[in-house]
Amino acid sequence: MSAGRATWRGARAFRTFELGDQRILLVRDDQGVLQGFHNTCRHRGAALCRESEGVLRTGTIICPYHAWTYNLQGDLLRTSSKAHASGFDVADFPLYKVSVREWNGFIFVALTDAPPAFDKIFDLPLNRLDTWSLGELVVGHVLLKTIHSNWKIFWENYNECLHCPGVHPKLSQLVPIYGRGLLEERDDPHWSAHAADADPKFKGGLRAGAATWSLDGKTTGVPFPGLSDADRQAGHIYMTGLPSVFLVGHVDYVRVVRLLPLGPELTELRVEYLFSPQTLADPAFDLRNVVDFTNLVMTEDAEVCELNQRGLRAGPHARGVVMPEEYVIRQFHEWIRAELARV
């Protein structure tokens, strides 16, 4: 399932994009309801829309090749032929539909005919980030990178912090428990020895005096009202939707990271930074304080994933070893096996 930020809401607005080797067409009908199709005419397979986005002049989708015409729900209305063969019925040739779902300003697309229940996509309840008012936020910056590694390598890296002390020195200073190679308190086999110690290097969360992920640890945007003390202390709330997206709620912005496989050893990484309209309207807002820090972290991850990919080409290397702290990687592998079994 792929996710994208919805920034167009008007009737008859459309957008096309690639998902793997499939070209998808999204369009809003005259009531503003989102519809999703393969960008393919049922006549002889021509692409229906050549532009990446725009607004349809009429309430129909017209193939530019032979002018087969569809309504915005995908039903074939008419062909350009002078006569139809016996038994031909326009009702038998609607556009190929794809499953779409709008959620908090995002659009999710699934190519399978039977996608899993949407509330099962994420590892947290759908309302976990409600306090961040996701649907009201605006994209303030985008980082786009092509990583020379398989998408699964990225997710493996995402799911452990053994690499953090050596790969992310600045992040490890900001989040002291990362500097110990741990994601959270329960990953420490000796956690009980420090159960009464509130130091972030044992309990998790940001270092003393820091409030968010930024170069100086200080907020640069308007903090989100209504966050709990625990959320503020943590400094980051991750919400993961395999295989394509994770969201991170910080105190003053939200980070959205999307993965798009481009090939066996090539992955597109897209990082979007969402801010409140008030933050972006503030002339004193310093975007670089946020972006430069998190772009550094994402670039470090990209580089180490490429290093991992290059090493995997060794002929004798049949499998690796998952260590106790990497139990989430084991869960990820089990998820992949379960998904492959569904195919």
Side-chain angles (χ1 to χ4, degrees):
M1 180 172 283
S2 180
R5 187 73 178 165
T7 56
W8 42 281
R9 299 186 179 279
R12 301 182 183 178
F14 73 87
R15 176 170 294 181
T16 60
F17 66 95
E18 291 182 359
L19 186 54
D21 61 356
Q22 301 297 295
R23 193 73 176 174
I24 306 301
L25 167 64
L26 299 179
V27 61
R28 294 194 183 277
D29 62 23
D30 285 322
Q31 288 71 48
V33 177
L34 185 68
Q35 309 286 343
F37 313 102
H38 287 270
N39 189 28
T40 300
C41 180
R42 290 298 305 273
H43 179 206
R44 282 164 44 201
L48 294 165
C49 290
R50 292 180 261 206
E51 298 83 6
S52 60
E53 61 182 286
V55 178
L56 298 173
R57 291 192 298 270
T58 68
T60 58
I61 300 169
I62 303 174
C63 178
Y65 195 6
H66 297 103
W68 278 37
T69 302
Y70 306 83
N71 65 22
L72 301 188
Q73 288 73 42
D75 301 312
L76 177 61
L77 299 178
R78 55 186 174 273
T79 75
S80 56
S81 296
K82 304 302 184 289
H84 291 164
S86 175
F88 178 88
D89 188 341
V90 294
D92 295 333
F93 295 92
L95 295 179
Y96 301 111
K97 281 213 168 194
V98 297
S99 298
V100 295
R101 170 71 179 260
E102 289 194 80
W103 174 76
N104 281 334
F106 297 92
I107 293 174
F108 289 79
V109 176
L111 297 182
T112 177
D113 292 333
F118 186 72
D119 62 355
K120 303 299 183 185
I121 295 296
F122 290 100
D123 62 341
L124 295 176
L126 290 179
N127 64 357
R128 180 61 181 89
L129 295 180
D130 280 359
T131 309
W132 279 260
S133 300
L134 295 174
E136 301 174 8
L137 304 185
V138 180
V139 178
H141 179 76
V142 177
L143 168 67
L144 190 63
K145 290 181 69 68
T146 299
I147 307 176
H148 291 267
S149 84
N150 186 275
W151 65 275
K152 294 185 289 294
I153 288 176
F154 182 93
W155 281 116
E156 289 181 343
N157 177 77
Y158 169 82
N159 281 316
E160 52 91 356
C161 215
L162 283 175
H163 72 280
C164 289
V167 175
H168 300 305
K170 291 187 179 298
L171 177 60
S172 294
Q173 293 172 8
L174 179 67
V175 187
I177 200 169
Y178 289 179
R180 299 177 59 224
L182 304 171
L183 281 172
E184 52 186 310
E185 180 184 18
R186 64 175 178 168
D187 296 341
D188 184 353
H190 307 294
W191 69 269
S192 59
H194 311 287
D197 195 330
D199 192 316
K201 71 180 181 182
F202 299 119
K203 293 298 183 183
L206 305 180
R207 69 168 185 261
T212 193
W213 283 34
S214 64
L215 290 174
D216 58 9
K218 298 178 181 178
T219 58
T220 52
V222 178
F224 296 108
L227 297 184
S228 68
D229 291 341
D231 287 348
R232 293 183 186 280
Q233 183 177 358
H236 48 260
I237 303 299
Y238 280 81
M239 188 168 175
T240 306
L242 293 174
S244 59
V245 66
F246 68 88
L247 292 75
V248 191
H250 298 287
V251 172
D252 52 343
Y253 67 99
V254 172
R255 188 160 39 102
V256 182
V257 181
R258 290 191 286 146
L259 297 179
L260 180 63
L262 301 178
E265 296 187 5
L266 207 61
T267 302
E268 180 184 277
L269 175 69
R270 182 181 180 91
V271 186
E272 297 179 345
Y273 295 82
L274 310 184
F275 302 92
S276 68
Q278 299 95 318
T279 290
L280 293 181
D282 183 354
F285 172 57
D286 183 7
L287 180 68
R288 293 172 303 175
N289 193 35
V290 167
V291 168
D292 287 357
F293 179 80
T294 45
N295 278 1
L296 171 65
V297 174
M298 299 307 301
T299 299
E300 290 168 341
D301 280 326
E303 291 174 350
V304 78
C305 287
E306 293 179 340
L307 184 70
N308 195 167
Q309 183 69 69
R310 289 197 297 271
L312 287 176
R313 297 191 185 115
H317 186 76
R319 64 182 62 85
V321 180
V322 177
M323 303 304 289
E325 299 94 334
E326 299 170 314
Y327 61 92
V328 185
I329 292 182
R330 173 66 179 269
Q331 294 170 1
F332 174 61
H333 292 169
E334 291 172 349
W335 175 85
I336 292 176
R337 292 190 186 97
E339 289 299 299
L340 290 174
R342 292 198 317 122
V343 176

